[in-house]
Amino acid sequence: MKELLKVKKLSTFNQTNINLKNMDFILNKGEIHALVGERGTGKNVFVDVLSGFYKDDMTGDVYFKEELVNNKLTTRKPSSIMFLLSESLLADSLTVAENIYTMRDQKNIFKYIRKSKIVNSTKEAFKEMNVFVDPKRLVRNLDNEEKKLVELAKIYMYNPKVLVMYEPTIQMSPPTRSYFYEFLKKMKERGTSIIYATSLWEEAIRTADRISVLYNGSVVGTMDADEAKKEPEELLNMVSGWHKNPNSDQERKIDMGEGSYIKTSEEIINEELLDAIFKAAEYLTSNYEIKDVLKMLEKTSCKIMRSDGCNVYLINETPKKIMDIVKYNNRKDIEAELTDEAVLKIMDEDKLYYKNYNDKNFSFMFNRLKNAKTIICYPVLIRSQYTALIQVYYKEYYQQSPEQLKYLSAISKQVAIAIDNTRLMGRSALLKESHHRIKNNLQTIVSIINLQKSNFKRNPEKGINVLIDDIVSRVKSIAAVHDLLSKNEGGGSIINLKTLIEAIINFYTLEKESKIKAYLDDIFIPYNLATSIALVINELINNCVKHAFDDNYNNAIIKIVCCIVNDNVSINIEDNGKGLPRNFSYKKANNLGLFLVHTLIENEFHGTFEIFGVDGTTANILIPKENLSISKG
């Protein structure tokens, strides 16, 4: 292949960044060449050099079509080289069409802007590329996804000889990512050569022809993507900076028939880690549950880190809250579960976290602490967002080795892949589940109607309007679940109970002087349990609205509290209305709504339900937290 762009012995000198060290890199004509490296290995510095953003001292040469260009590379026409970075390069103050055409003829830019034909021309190009963004809109009014699509369209229209990309898929939604992969395929078919700088080696294997690995500022190896697919362990070794230690004092003798082979402890750990990685990949290509992958990776973490236990805290991005904890424990006499505040604080510090029993306030960091004297935590990064925390803990004082931290970093990447894969699969898997769940929900509605019909025959005095209102109310509570899922940008099958209750509250409009007060914690539950919870909440609020105040809503107050209390989800709904008759029992009362609540809480969630009150009514629900865990979904 003919060399199109060549970087020779490139070194940079900056006190604040990782520096490149005699870096060599070749981009051949018509290829996608991925530059893979973990965060902080120098990928951004390399791209800054090519894009002209790097202003500090540097040595080395950059050749384009065998011509020495060095700092002049970015002065070339867009038909020569263009850039797609993690942050948008569009001008916010210009329209979409103006952004597209500013590069056409910069001397006569205002002449082009005055002509309406650039709008029509952009529309035609966008139509060909299936980009549905109005060319007249100001870029500042676009969301990140739309900006990315406009940038892709712009690159496609100019069809450069070289395209340099830096972490282009960060914060991309699954549909935009699919569009991006098609875009890469088309650009390559049109003859564009692409440099793809990324920390995601899986994406490199998927999209590239060749892969070079950057570690600590140096290219440590280059291999064909097909070779990496067949033997990914070699790529992983380079990405993680692993090297064999022939002087290790721990060895294992392996029988090999005619002879024997001595394996160092590091080689043994490498094999165990690779086994775990390949097993995780196996899980990801089959029907798996996220907790199964995490449990397996936690077990591997305990082996490699020689720890007594491991926790993975799953974190919601907006709002930033702990969704669930997956635990693995080697022994029953030790426990170390961090508080939510401690987890989020560690995540914000954005680095490896070590603490032991001698440190101040150690014991105040935990919800549960039993016989643990050391913890080591490592944040999990997914597309620039911290969405999980790995924590290993020890019964005795322990200090990790540098090699162990490399291994923990590798495991964190597998955790990230598992979580991200769950999100990517979320939309399609959720669609299938939705069809099944909608069918079940329709059957639930039919069953409720039949129950109400039977109840109506026994109590015809309630009237047909009441019957219809009850049916509509229950259908709306189920619809609220599907509405929330349709707005879920992450594509997953998890619902925030707080958001669900707020949606149900919005169904009810009381008089001006009346209020529904809600005190709700963020509690994350799986989609397949949300419908039943929605029915329960709706029934209890509906009871208050219909029966507590006799249509006199002056100073009426309904208070809803939902929080975690001693490993239980506590839901409390109370009003200041007329209350219940003395010796009232919902089990004996002829009330279909309370019957549904009792049945769902006790049979489906194995919780408890009680309702009481003379001056006002109070309904209490307690559900074991583990029965609503997202790991159950």
Side-chain angles (χ1 to χ4, degrees):
M1 275 191 178
K2 186 177 179 181
E3 294 177 358
L4 186 62
L5 187 142
K6 184 176 181 179
V7 176
K8 195 170 182 181
K9 296 193 178 303
L10 177 63
S11 295
T12 60
F13 308 94
N14 187 307
Q15 297 301 317
T16 58
N17 289 323
I18 188 80
N19 282 307
L20 303 178
K21 304 164 187 173
N22 291 318
M23 177 181 173
D24 292 333
F25 185 88
I26 293 173
L27 177 68
N28 291 321
K29 188 175 181 180
E31 76 166 349
I32 300 177
H33 191 160
L35 182 65
V36 178
E38 296 181 352
R39 189 174 50 148
T41 55
K43 301 186 305 298
N44 60 328
V45 179
F46 176 67
V47 173
D48 283 349
V49 169
L50 296 182
S51 62
F53 290 157
Y54 189 84
K55 302 301 181 185
D56 294 302
D57 293 336
M58 52 179 270
T59 59
D61 295 315
V62 180
Y63 297 86
F64 181 69
K65 292 184 176 179
E66 299 182 350
E67 176 188 350
L68 182 64
V69 290
N70 285 3
N71 294 331
K72 299 177 183 178
L73 182 62
T74 53
T75 63
R76 308 184 78 85
K77 292 181 179 180
S79 58
S80 294
I81 184 165
M82 291 181 73
F83 295 83
L84 181 67
L85 308 181
S86 53
E87 298 295 327
S88 171
L89 294 175
L90 301 174
D92 280 352
S93 59
L94 299 181
T95 67
V96 169
E98 290 164 356
N99 265 279
I100 295 290
Y101 279 86
T102 51
M103 296 173 71
R104 282 283 166 103
D105 186 349
Q106 295 182 0
K107 293 180 181 178
N108 297 303
I109 179 174
F110 294 106
K111 172 184 170 184
Y112 279 106
I113 290 176
R114 291 189 191 102
K115 291 185 176 181
S116 61
K117 71 177 184 180
I118 68 172
V119 172
N120 295 327
S121 178
T122 303
K123 281 183 179 177
E124 289 295 319
F126 279 13
K127 185 177 180 182
E128 177 190 343
M129 299 166 63
N130 294 319
V131 172
F132 304 103
V133 178
D134 184 355
K136 297 179 182 178
R137 287 177 66 189
L138 284 172
V139 166
R140 70 163 62 97
N141 296 327
L142 303 182
D143 61 30
N144 289 333
E145 295 280 304
E146 290 170 324
K147 287 179 182 179
K148 192 70 75 174
L149 289 172
V150 170
E151 287 195 280
L152 294 177
K154 185 175 184 176
I155 291 166
Y156 187 85
M157 291 171 68
Y158 283 91
N159 195 25
K161 295 288 189 298
V162 174
L163 172 60
V164 180
M165 303 187 298
Y166 177 76
E167 302 289 13
T169 61
I170 282 179
Q171 297 181 349
M172 269 190 189
S173 68
T176 305
R177 213 173 303 155
S178 297
Y179 182 93
F180 170 74
Y181 294 138
E182 284 299 314
F183 162 83
L184 285 185
K185 184 178 177 182
K186 288 178 181 177
M187 293 303 295
K188 183 182 174 184
E189 289 172 352
R190 298 171 80 199
T192 296
S193 302
I194 300 171
I195 297 175
Y196 189 167
T198 179
S199 58
L200 304 173
W201 60 268
E202 306 84 1
E203 283 197 4
I205 287 178
R206 174 176 181 169
T207 59
D209 299 299
R210 284 195 302 150
I211 302 171
S212 289
V213 177
L214 192 64
Y215 185 80
N216 199 26
S218 300
V219 173
V220 295
T222 299
M223 61 195 306
D224 290 337
D226 288 339
E227 182 186 353
K229 288 175 186 176
K230 293 176 183 177
E231 298 182 8
E233 60 268 26
E234 184 177 346
L235 178 64
L236 285 169
N237 280 335
M238 289 192 291
V239 170
S240 300
W242 298 342
H243 59 278
K244 294 181 179 179
N245 179 7
N247 300 317
S248 174
D249 57 355
Q250 297 186 42
E251 300 177 334
R252 182 186 297 172
K253 187 173 181 178
I254 306 296
D255 290 331
M256 301 283 289
E258 295 180 1
S260 62
Y261 173 65
I262 303 296
K263 288 193 175 184
T264 67
S265 61
E266 187 173 353
E267 288 177 309
I268 294 164
I269 291 176
N270 280 352
E271 288 184 357
E272 290 177 344
L273 181 56
L274 288 172
D275 284 344
I277 289 172
F278 294 137
K279 190 172 181 181
E282 205 175 289
Y283 276 45
L284 296 176
T285 56
S286 60
N287 293 324
Y288 74 97
E289 291 187 13
I290 183 69
K291 65 177 181 181
D292 294 328
V293 185
L294 295 182
K295 287 268 189 184
M296 183 272 295
L297 292 171
E298 285 178 323
K299 186 176 180 180
T300 304
S301 298
C302 285
K303 275 188 180 180
I304 291 171
M305 298 299 293
R306 299 178 184 173
S307 66
D308 297 303
C310 181
N311 296 332
V312 173
Y313 301 84
L314 301 177
I315 300 166
N316 190 65
E317 292 176 15
T318 308
K320 210 169 184 183
K321 296 285 182 180
I322 309 302
M323 291 192 297
D324 201 4
I325 308 172
V326 179
K327 302 178 180 180
Y328 175 81
N329 208 317
N330 276 327
R331 47 198 301 171
K332 295 180 180 179
D333 63 337
I334 182 170
E335 192 173 12
E337 181 186 315
L338 292 165
T339 65
D340 291 6
E341 293 77 12
V343 171
L344 297 178
K345 183 180 178 182
I346 293 169
M347 298 295 282
D348 287 339
E349 291 189 11
D350 188 14
K351 60 184 179 183
L352 180 89
Y353 185 88
Y354 173 93
K355 214 168 186 69
N356 65 44
Y357 193 77
N358 289 329
D359 292 315
K360 186 179 179 181
N361 296 327
F362 179 81
S363 58
F364 295 103
M365 298 173 57
F366 301 91
N367 281 325
R368 295 182 183 81
L369 180 63
K370 182 181 179 183
N371 295 330
K373 290 185 178 178
T374 305
I375 64 166
I376 299 171
C377 302
Y378 198 92
V380 175
L381 181 71
I382 302 177
R383 303 184 186 279
S384 292
Q385 298 293 325
Y386 286 99
T387 50
L389 181 73
I390 299 177
Q391 172 210 357
V392 293
Y393 51 92
Y394 303 82
K395 190 171 184 178
E396 303 298 336
Y397 296 105
Y398 188 84
Q399 183 64 54
Q400 77 283 354
S401 68
E403 288 76 17
Q404 284 178 315
L405 297 186
K406 292 177 185 177
Y407 299 137
L408 191 58
S409 170
I411 290 172
S412 79
K413 288 178 174 55
Q414 296 309 306
V415 171
I417 293 166
I419 296 171
D420 201 31
N421 198 69
T422 302
R423 293 176 180 171
L424 290 173
M425 292 171 61
R427 285 293 179 197
S428 58
L430 184 57
L431 183 60
K432 293 178 183 177
E433 187 183 351
S434 292
H435 291 310
H436 175 70
R437 181 53 58 172
I438 290 169
K439 176 184 173 184
N440 287 348
N441 288 342
L442 290 173
Q443 290 173 342
T444 298
I445 292 167
V446 169
S447 299
I448 289 174
I449 291 173
N450 285 330
L451 285 170
Q452 288 185 266
K453 187 167 70 173
S454 301
N455 194 52
F456 179 73
K457 288 179 181 178
R458 293 193 298 272
N459 303 279
E461 69 278 1
K462 290 185 176 180
I464 192 67
N465 287 337
V466 174
L467 175 71
I468 292 173
D469 286 346
D470 285 347
I471 292 172
V472 169
S473 175
R474 286 159 185 155
V475 171
K476 284 170 72 177
S477 69
I478 294 173
V481 175
H482 296 283
D483 182 54
L484 290 176
L485 286 170
S486 71
K487 298 173 181 175
N488 185 346
E489 295 180 359
S493 55
I494 298 167
I495 284 181
N496 190 339
L497 186 51
K498 174 182 178 178
T499 309
L500 179 58
I501 294 174
E502 289 171 342
I504 294 171
I505 289 173
N506 287 335
F507 297 159
Y508 297 93
T509 303
L510 303 178
E511 299 298 321
K512 290 183 180 179
E513 295 184 13
S514 63
K515 295 179 180 178
I516 297 181
K517 297 181 178 180
Y519 306 91
L520 312 171
D521 286 349
D522 294 292
I523 300 172
F524 298 90
I525 63 174
Y527 159 58
N528 60 337
L529 301 179
T531 298
S532 297
I533 286 289
L535 281 170
V536 166
I537 300 296
N538 179 71
E539 288 300 334
L540 295 175
I541 297 176
N542 192 39
N543 263 356
C544 294
V545 172
K546 286 174 59 178
H547 304 300
F549 307 108
D550 287 334
D551 296 328
N552 178 15
Y553 292 104
N554 290 334
N555 300 314
I557 295 176
I558 299 172
K559 187 168 75 170
I560 305 170
V561 180
C562 182
C563 58
I564 301 293
V565 178
N566 297 329
D567 289 331
N568 291 297
V569 175
S570 172
I571 303 171
N572 181 280
I573 300 176
E574 62 180 70
D575 62 61
N576 63 343
K578 63 184 181 181
L580 299 171
R582 292 186 182 280
N583 301 317
F584 174 83
S585 171
Y586 68 86
K587 294 180 181 178
K588 296 178 181 178
N590 187 20
N591 186 305
L592 177 60
L594 294 180
F595 169 77
L596 284 172
V597 172
H598 162 73
T599 301
L600 290 169
I601 294 300
E602 295 199 359
N603 293 345
E604 184 165 351
F605 299 113
H606 304 292
T608 60
F609 168 64
E610 57 180 351
I611 186 168
F612 54 85
V614 177
D615 297 323
T617 303
T618 299
N620 283 334
I621 294 169
L622 278 180
I623 300 173
K625 184 181 175 183
E626 63 180 16
N627 292 346
L628 284 176
S629 164
I630 64 171
S631 299
K632 304 279 282 187

